[in-house]
């Protein structure tokens, strides 16, 4: 299933996200399952947040949502990809004026990694900026009084919930990847988004210390030399199992008939 936007329609995104959720629900019906109300709400909310981020930051309203349910195996697997064309995550930060107050919170990380000699072929400024952008309350377009930097965090939390439920119910784990520009980020449950001290928001640094002042695991974050996607791809894969929990329920006879 693929969605292509019409930028002239103010509510187009919301309508298409609703259609996407219905599509996934219809796929599940083939195996006598259904999204719960919570599952529909979560999938729609998180997908909508990601698309809103894409429209807001990439400065090029061209996004697609692709998804399918593979029912050919004993454990059906759902795959969802959301991608947009335009600026990469890092490029939205690199465009900031480095003498401005907007750049200051991020510049300190780049200066430290450079002074420590951390940067190399597979760990570069744009890779660090991409990781920084995944943290809560971080945005290249801050607005006074507004809560920014939430959309990606919501989707990470959605993935973490999927991972936990998959780990409990299936021998297959969930995975999520983010490819933005020439940066690759892997979520596989090894590192988690956790609350910082003093209510500063949640952080995931992809290292054992969960510290943005240190380089991440090269398995989970790396630069892709010679490869560049003009925008951002977020891809999630997770298996469905009976008793899957709050997101999916077994379809009862009366519901199936309706």
């Amino acid at each position: 299933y693929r969605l292509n936007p019409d930028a002239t329609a103010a509510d187009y995104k919301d309508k298409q996200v609703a259609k996407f959720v219905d599509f996934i629900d219809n796929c599940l019906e083939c195996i006598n399952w259904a999204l719960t109300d919570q599952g529909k709400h979560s999938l729609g909310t998180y997908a909508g947040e990601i698309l809103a981020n894409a429209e807001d930051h990439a400065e090029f309203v061209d996004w697609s949502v692709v998804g399918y349910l593979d029912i050919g195996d004993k454990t059906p697997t759902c795959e969802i990809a959301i991608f947009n064309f335009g600026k990469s995550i890092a490029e939205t930060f690199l465009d900031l004026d480095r003498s401005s107050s907007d750049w200051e919170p991020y510049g300190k990380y780049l200066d430290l990694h450079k002074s420590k000699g951390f940067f190399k072929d597979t760990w570069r400024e744009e890779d660090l900026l991409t990781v920084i952008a995944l943290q809560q309350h971080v945005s290249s377009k801050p607005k006074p009084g507004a809560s920014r930097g939430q959309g990606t965090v919501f989707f990470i939390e959605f993935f973490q919930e999927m991972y936990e439920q998959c780990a409990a119910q299936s021998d297959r784990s969930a995975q999520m990847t983010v490819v933005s520009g020439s940066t690759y980020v892997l979520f596989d449950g090894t590192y988690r988004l956790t609350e910082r001290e003093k209510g500063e928001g949640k952080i995931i640094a992809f290292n054992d210390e969960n510290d943005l002042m240190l380089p991440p695991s090269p398995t989970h974050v790396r630069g892709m030399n010679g490869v560049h996607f003009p925008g951002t791809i977020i891809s999630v894969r997770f298996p469905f199992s009976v008793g899957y929990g709050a997101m999916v329920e077994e379809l009862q006879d009366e519901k199936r008939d309706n």
Side-chain angles (χ1 to χ4, degrees):
Y1 183 66
R2 179 171 178 172
L3 310 178
N4 291 303
D6 176 2
T8 63
D11 60 346
Y12 183 86
K13 173 173 59 66
D14 294 337
K15 290 180 178 178
Q16 300 310 311
V17 168
K19 288 182 180 179
F20 173 68
V21 172
D22 287 343
F23 171 77
I24 295 297
D25 201 33
N26 289 335
C27 287
L28 287 170
E29 189 175 352
C30 296
I31 52 174
N32 297 327
W33 293 348
L35 289 171
T36 62
D37 289 341
Q38 179 180 334
K40 291 178 181 179
H41 175 75
S42 296
L43 183 57
T45 298
Y46 300 149
E49 288 283 350
I50 292 297
L51 296 179
N53 271 9
E55 293 180 350
D56 195 16
H57 296 280
E59 299 182 3
F60 189 61
V61 184
D62 189 347
W63 49 258
S64 293
V65 181
V66 182
Y68 75 95
L69 180 66
D70 182 357
I71 60 175
D73 202 342
K74 64 178 182 179
T75 303
T77 300
C78 183
E79 296 202 31
I80 301 170
I82 301 174
F83 58 94
N84 69 277
F85 297 101
K87 291 183 178 180
S88 69
I89 294 172
E91 286 170 340
T92 64
F93 286 86
L94 290 170
D95 284 348
L96 294 174
D97 181 353
R98 298 206 176 195
S99 63
S100 70
S101 59
D102 290 342
W103 171 259
E104 185 177 356
Y106 319 122
K108 66 179 182 181
Y109 292 108
L110 270 67
D111 291 343
L112 184 142
H113 279 244
K114 185 176 180 179
S115 66
K116 295 282 188 179
F118 291 151
F119 288 135
K120 52 187 178 181
D121 289 344
T122 55
W123 179 239
R124 309 153 306 166
E125 279 194 2
E126 53 263 51
D127 306 321
L128 175 55
L129 287 170
T130 301
V131 171
I132 291 173
L134 299 176
Q135 316 309 314
Q136 191 171 28
H137 304 320
V138 171
S139 174
S140 62
K141 293 186 176 182
K143 292 182 180 179
S147 180
R148 305 302 301 269
Q150 299 288 346
T152 307
V153 169
F154 288 155
F155 208 78
I156 293 173
E157 290 179 331
F158 168 75
F159 166 76
Q160 289 183 171
E161 183 178 354
M162 292 296 96
Y163 179 84
E164 290 171 358
Q165 293 184 4
C166 289
Q169 301 290 341
S170 174
D171 58 357
R172 298 183 183 180
S173 62
Q175 285 193 336
M176 179 168 75
T177 58
V178 176
V179 173
S180 188
S182 57
T183 300
Y184 168 89
V185 183
L186 170 66
F187 297 80
D188 63 0
T190 303
Y191 302 104
R192 297 180 53 83
L193 191 70
T194 58
E195 193 72 40
R196 292 189 241 196
E197 295 181 0
K198 301 178 182 178
E200 295 178 351
K202 297 179 180 179
I203 182 174
I204 180 168
F206 300 96
N207 54 43
D208 293 340
E209 298 81 4
N210 204 22
D211 188 349
L212 292 173
M213 294 295 189
L214 297 172
S217 156
T219 299
H220 295 83
V221 184
R222 62 179 181 269
M224 303 182 298
N225 289 318
V227 178
H228 182 90
F229 179 78
T232 300
I233 306 171
I234 299 177
S235 176
V236 185
R237 180 179 183 181
F238 52 92
F240 283 117
S241 299
V242 175
Y244 192 70
M247 304 297 286
V248 178
E249 62 185 355
E250 190 171 4
L251 197 60
Q252 301 300 315
D253 289 340
E254 59 271 18
K255 290 185 180 180
R256 190 181 305 121
D257 292 340
N258 293 333

